[in-house]
Amino acid sequence: MLDTANRATAMLRDLRRAGLKLTPQRIAIVQLFASDETHPTAQDLFERLRPSFPSMSFATVYNTLDTLARAGLAGIVRLPGKRGDAARFDPNTAPHHHAVCDGCGAVLDIGAGTLSPTTAAVRRLRRLAPGFSIRAVERVYRGVCSRCARRPSQ
Ligand SMILES: [Zn+2]
Ligand SMILES: [Zn+2]
């Protein structure tokens, strides 16, 4: 797996390849995002960057993340939960599942060797959804994160 600094470098290289100019704003977006494992929305990152870049627009943040996703350097996750179902961006491009907390809406990465379907999954699907061509199997674990589990219920 790439460490955070390498990940940011790879993202910046691909943004440039995609034709985006590497402005100080875009570099700041990428550096913050590359080290963020909370699956932030574009709005989350926009709000965290605004104090340092008062003139930055939401569109700049969104387009930068969207370009990364198109280049395969970020995932887009939509998991309805406590925090709504806005697109959340994921700098972790290694195969993984997600766990979503019912309490705070946190989304955690659950490492997986592969998302490729097993032959058993292919066989089951062939029976349940004839004609469907399967690409990947992703799991969503629903429950309560350790922080929320410790918090006394109100
Ligand atoms: Zn939680
Ligand atoms: Zn993830």
Side-chain angles (χ1 to χ4, degrees), residues 101-104 143-153:
C101 176
D102 294 335
C104 67
V144 176
C145 77
S146 62
R147 274 221 323 263
C148 289
R150 257 183 277 127
R151 198 177 296 153
S153 51

Side-chain angles (χ1 to χ4, degrees), residues 11-51:
M11 287 178 177
L12 290 170
R13 191 190 52 219
D14 274 59
L15 282 183
R16 211 169 32 215
R17 271 194 203 139
L20 293 193
K21 229 187 247 147
L22 295 186
T23 60
Q25 296 187 351
R26 287 212 178 95
I27 292 171
I29 295 165
V30 166
Q31 280 169 346
L32 183 63
F33 174 58
S35 61
D36 189 325
E37 289 174 354
T38 66
H39 303 79
T41 62
Q43 185 70 27
D44 291 336
L45 292 176
F46 175 59
E47 279 164 19
R48 280 159 62 194
L49 287 160
R50 200 153 40 167

Side-chain angles (χ1 to χ4, degrees), residues 127-150:
R127 190 158 38 82
L128 298 173
F132 185 89
S133 149
I134 187 171
R135 175 174 56 80
V137 178
E138 291 178 22
R139 289 206 184 94
V140 178
Y141 298 81
R142 301 264 175 197
V144 176
C145 77
S146 62
R147 274 221 323 263
C148 289
R150 257 183 277 127

Side-chain angles (χ1 to χ4, degrees), residues 37-39 75 77 79 88-99 107-110:
E37 289 174 354
T38 66
H39 303 79
V77 183
L79 296 168
R88 299 172 69 147
F89 291 88
D90 192 345
N92 182 3
T93 52
H96 65 281
H97 303 299
H98 288 107
V107 175
L108 308 177
D109 285 347
I110 310 290

Side-chain angles (χ1 to χ4, degrees), residues 37-86:
E37 289 174 354
T38 66
H39 303 79
T41 62
Q43 185 70 27
D44 291 336
L45 292 176
F46 175 59
E47 279 164 19
R48 280 159 62 194
L49 287 160
R50 200 153 40 167
S52 319
F53 298 93
S55 66
M56 184 161 58
S57 72
F58 174 76
T60 299
V61 178
Y62 188 86
N63 293 337
T64 302
L65 295 170
D66 191 56
T67 304
L68 287 174
R70 281 168 205 273
L73 286 169
I76 296 183
V77 183
R78 282 179 191 275
L79 296 168
K82 195 90 176 175
R83 297 190 52 221
D85 64 354

